[in-house]
Amino acid sequence: MSPRRLVLASALLSGALWAGAGLAAPAGEWQTYGHDKGGQRHSPLRQITPANVASLKPAWTYHMRPESTATAATPDANAEAQRSAEGGAPVPGRAGRSRFAGSQVTPLVVGGRMFITTPYGRVVALDPATGKELWVTPIPGPGQPSLRGVEYWPGDGKLAPRIVFGTRDGRLIALDAATGHFAQGFGTSGVVDMKTPEVLQGAAARFYGMTSPPIVFGNLVITGSAVQEFPPRGAAGDVRAWDVRTGRLVWTFHSVPRPGEPGHDTWEPGSADKRSGVNAWGFLTVDQARGIVYMPFGAPAFDRYGGDRKGDNLYGTSLVAADARTGKYLWHFQVVHHDIWDNDLQAPPLLFDWTGKDGRKRPAVAVVSKNGLLFVLDRVTGKPLLPVAERPVPASQVPGEQTAPTQPMPLATPPLARTGFSLAEIADLTPELKQGCTDWITKNAMKPGALYVPVGFNEVTISFPGLQGGANWGGATFDPARGLLLVNTSDLGQVTALVPSTGPLPYERGPVSGRFKLEGTRLLCQAPPWGRLSAVDVRTGAIRWQVPLGVTDELPEAVRLTGRPNIGGAITTASGLTFIGASDDSRFRAYETATGKLLWETRLGAAAHATPITYTDVGGRQLVAITATGGSFLDSPLASDTITAFALPEDRK
């Protein structure tokens, strides 16, 4: 074995021993999507600081697209990304003519290797110091490896470390972390078919897959799923746990409760049977010390009309805590009752220690979602730590619909994204934008709406934050030293009407349906900001600072700082930095965590709709890495295939 390989093998073993012993991971690694199992996305590294971050330069760039596919047809990953961003199941096997394919991958760095999935049907291990390939494993079959990355298992002393991930056609795969070989003894030659008859509920197998990585707890790998959003009956969104050594199914948590299970009575009799949706298509987190898994569930199908499912519909749009060893229900908090706004929970539930006014520390979990609201709960009991009240909301005028009379509202933290619109708030950044939006609104007799205002019947409603606004799957990061939770949000309104249908439900979306923007442009029709980065003092719930995230290059320079729609999340470091891509303006930025001051930005070859990481290489150099391909439901141009790592020049460390 070469000296270089020996160093890498030694580092891999060291990482396995640290994680296997239940100790904190080495400071320079990024071992799971959220850095830690509680999803804080906070690194203890301090080499890159507010004083020197402006000196960051690219250290290496890796191109995910194999050279042989440069002009060949590739899987239509951009369309897949748009579907998966809303939690809908991908349709495997479709081919497109895209030169590039979209990725939202957040790499892991463990034991001297960086692990990534690519939208070109490959899983790759890189040298995190140089970006050089260490191994490449093609994944056969029509379904791509999960869009957002892999999870790591450190081994158990008998079996070597593994990486595990799902595919868009419903397979769970384990690879040997050192070699990339399919893990023998796991399922059939390293592959488990997740599309069991119980979970499909009679639906076609193509309506089940995974787009986000699973999470490992002990020797269990716990999985969510992407399922259909329409029609209402289909594959179940159950969360399941598998033995990471053998692939054996260990437990199942029914996301739509069965008869006799808690919550079944929140559904109109018969309406829960074979109901699809209510799936954890985003990220799970785990309190390792207490053995609790936190599962954020999306809305029931169909997510715009619920007349066929009267009731609160647990566990739709709810955070559910369960025993991570058995799947036994512990508690739930429903963020939206009887969700008809597609307000999915999908961001990682963020675990941290909360200090109240009495100085006492309590275990907490923070929840953000598409509605732009922040809830802080006791993670053992599910009770709010910051006050919440049920507030009356408008009733639906759609015949047959029966909306919930109240919805939970946080009282300490104002909404982090726009939750309403009036005609006085039409964007006037240019005369053409104002006139174009005014004419469009008038022509279609649009009705301004607000949070929890139901979509109108034969009446086009302007809804905020919209289907894809608020805090999406990127979620929040937490700086424990400063007590700040940081979250990026989009003010991306939606225009929709419900109209009569001849399909399985009496209503469907009307012909005027889409984002609240000037047709043919990237310009939104409401006054800015259009995207934000906010810091919340979790002790009080107060917003410490809030800044526009992103610029609109098409606008005159004096009005470009509008903020932009964004997908992906931020990370924080102990030195006081917040790194984020996410915005559709193809920038990567660093902010001062304490103040929100922009300290550094660089332009990328495409939008970075992913969450970055930071780590140290074998020489102790700190790097920050980000994926930038474009794509996603934001319609960012598919313009690149890169993962780029940035570092300080040698003389600035």
Side-chain angles (χ1 to χ4, degrees), residues 22-318:
L23 303 176
E29 297 193 336
W30 197 279
Q31 292 196 345
T32 187
Y33 173 82
H35 183 268
D36 59 272
K37 301 291 186 182
Q40 289 192 6
R41 298 209 303 255
H42 179 76
S43 169
L45 298 180
R46 296 176 176 271
Q47 188 180 109
I48 303 171
T49 70
N52 62 27
V53 66
S55 299
L56 283 179
K57 301 294 181 186
W60 56 259
T61 297
Y62 175 72
H63 292 274
M64 291 185 284
R65 184 186 63 184
E67 291 184 9
S68 61
T69 67
T71 58
T74 58
D76 192 358
N78 190 34
E80 296 285 14
Q82 292 180 39
R83 291 176 59 84
S84 65
E86 280 295 293
V91 180
R94 297 190 303 177
R97 297 300 300 176
S98 298
R99 179 176 175 84
F100 291 109
S103 174
Q104 298 170 350
V105 68
T106 291
L108 303 189
V109 174
V110 190
R113 281 173 167 76
M114 175 181 284
F115 301 106
I116 62 168
T117 56
T118 82
Y120 304 96
R122 311 193 314 164
V123 178
V124 182
L126 304 175
D127 181 341
T130 65
K132 301 284 180 144
E133 290 179 352
L134 300 176
W135 54 253
V136 176
T137 300
I139 306 301
Q144 292 286 311
S146 59
L147 185 70
R148 301 180 185 106
V150 305
E151 175 68 328
Y152 176 79
W153 177 64
D156 61 1
K158 295 180 180 179
L159 295 177
R162 293 175 173 177
I163 59 170
V164 287
F165 55 93
T167 67
R168 295 178 186 176
D169 62 342
R171 291 171 292 156
L172 184 64
I173 296 177
L175 303 179
D176 184 287
T179 65
H181 297 159
F182 283 80
Q184 297 307 304
F186 182 84
T188 302
S189 301
V191 180
V192 168
D193 188 352
M194 303 173 67
K195 302 180 295 295
T196 63
E198 181 189 31
V199 81
L200 287 181
Q201 302 186 133
R206 68 192 185 98
F207 290 121
Y208 191 90
M210 282 183 68
T211 52
S212 299
I215 195 163
V216 161
F217 171 73
N219 292 326
L220 296 178
V221 54
I222 307 174
T223 59
S225 62
V227 299
Q228 68 197 51
E229 296 185 336
F230 191 85
R233 313 284 178 162
D238 298 343
V239 169
R240 295 181 287 177
W242 317 77
D243 189 313
V244 74
R245 299 162 298 186
T246 67
R248 177 181 63 89
L249 179 63
V250 176
W251 57 256
T252 298
F253 181 88
H254 294 135
S255 62
V256 176
R258 307 290 173 88
E261 294 178 343
H264 182 72
D265 60 354
T266 66
W267 295 79
E268 181 182 31
S271 67
D273 184 46
K274 296 185 178 180
R275 178 68 56 172
S276 197
V278 195
N279 56 314
W281 61 264
F283 300 88
L284 312 175
T285 54
V286 171
D287 182 329
Q288 295 196 99
R290 294 175 174 84
I292 301 174
V293 60
Y294 299 89
M295 305 175 289
F297 286 110
F302 171 50
D303 53 22
R304 304 300 278 169
Y305 171 75
D308 67 326
R309 52 175 172 89
K310 293 181 174 65
D312 280 353
N313 305 149
L314 292 177
Y315 296 102
T317 318
S318 300

Side-chain angles (χ1 to χ4, degrees), residues 200-534:
L200 287 181
Q201 302 186 133
R206 68 192 185 98
F207 290 121
Y208 191 90
M210 282 183 68
T211 52
S212 299
I215 195 163
V216 161
F217 171 73
N219 292 326
L220 296 178
V221 54
I222 307 174
T223 59
S225 62
V227 299
Q228 68 197 51
E229 296 185 336
F230 191 85
R233 313 284 178 162
D238 298 343
V239 169
R240 295 181 287 177
W242 317 77
D243 189 313
V244 74
R245 299 162 298 186
T246 67
R248 177 181 63 89
L249 179 63
V250 176
W251 57 256
T252 298
F253 181 88
H254 294 135
S255 62
V256 176
R258 307 290 173 88
E261 294 178 343
H264 182 72
D265 60 354
T266 66
W267 295 79
E268 181 182 31
S271 67
D273 184 46
K274 296 185 178 180
R275 178 68 56 172
S276 197
V278 195
N279 56 314
W281 61 264
F283 300 88
L284 312 175
T285 54
V286 171
D287 182 329
Q288 295 196 99
R290 294 175 174 84
I292 301 174
V293 60
Y294 299 89
M295 305 175 289
F297 286 110
F302 171 50
D303 53 22
R304 304 300 278 169
Y305 171 75
D308 67 326
R309 52 175 172 89
K310 293 181 174 65
D312 280 353
N313 305 149
L314 292 177
Y315 296 102
T317 318
S318 300
L319 177 65
V320 180
D323 186 316
R325 297 174 182 85
T326 66
K328 181 182 178 182
Y329 166 88
L330 297 176
W331 58 260
H332 76 274
F333 181 88
Q334 189 168 43
V335 171
V336 183
H337 310 313
H338 187 79
D339 189 353
I340 55 170
W341 298 274
D342 191 18
N343 272 172
D344 296 352
L345 298 191
Q346 71 291 94
L350 194 156
L351 312 187
F352 63 98
D353 290 331
W354 180 83
T355 302
K357 294 179 180 179
D358 58 4
R360 177 185 165 197
K361 282 190 176 182
R362 296 173 176 85
V365 54
V367 187
V368 294
S369 78
K370 295 181 187 179
N371 59 18
L373 306 180
L374 169 67
F375 297 90
V376 177
L377 314 173
D378 185 303
R379 69 175 183 262
V380 176
T381 67
K383 303 299 182 185
L385 293 173
L386 293 176
V388 175
E390 291 282 340
R391 296 297 194 214
V393 293
S396 174
Q397 301 306 308
V398 176
E401 182 61 271
Q402 187 172 312
T403 44
T406 65
Q407 295 289 352
M409 300 288 185
L411 304 183
T413 306
L416 300 173
R418 176 186 280 271
T419 56
F421 174 77
S422 72
L423 295 179
E425 297 173 299
I426 295 177
D428 62 356
L429 300 171
T430 67
E432 296 80 9
L433 176 60
K434 183 175 183 180
Q435 190 62 53
C437 290
T438 300
D439 292 347
W440 180 51
I441 293 169
T442 302
K443 175 184 176 182
N444 292 286
M446 294 182 186
K447 177 186 75 173
L451 185 64
Y452 300 134
V453 170
V455 170
F457 177 53
N458 285 325
E459 185 176 35
V460 180
T461 306
I462 304 169
S463 301
F464 276 93
L467 302 178
Q468 297 151 347
N472 213 284
W473 57 260
T477 181
F478 180 67
D479 185 321
R482 294 164 182 83
L484 293 179
L485 179 147
L486 290 96
V487 60
N488 50 298
T489 56
S490 296
D491 296 296
L492 193 60
Q494 186 81 11
V495 294
T496 320
L498 285 178
V499 300
S501 170
T502 58
L505 289 176
Y507 307 106
E508 62 186 7
R509 296 179 189 176
V512 180
S513 181
R515 295 182 196 123
F516 189 51
K517 69 173 187 175
L518 186 60
E519 185 176 4
T521 75
R522 298 168 65 245
L523 306 179
L524 306 188
C525 279
Q526 81 279 4
W530 297 337
R532 320 182 206 192
L533 180 64
S534 303

Side-chain angles (χ1 to χ4, degrees), residues 510-581:
V512 180
S513 181
R515 295 182 196 123
F516 189 51
K517 69 173 187 175
L518 186 60
E519 185 176 4
T521 75
R522 298 168 65 245
L523 306 179
L524 306 188
C525 279
Q526 81 279 4
W530 297 337
R532 320 182 206 192
L533 180 64
S534 303
V536 178
D537 183 332
V538 294
R539 188 181 68 85
T540 64
I543 296 175
R544 181 78 62 83
W545 54 259
Q546 193 171 71
V547 297
L549 176 62
V551 296
T552 302
D553 292 306
E554 302 94 312
L555 289 171
E557 186 172 354
V559 293
R560 283 181 184 169
L561 186 59
T562 56
R564 291 298 307 170
N566 50 83
I567 285 294
I571 65 172
T572 55
T573 71
S575 66
L577 290 171
T578 297
F579 289 97
I580 187 167

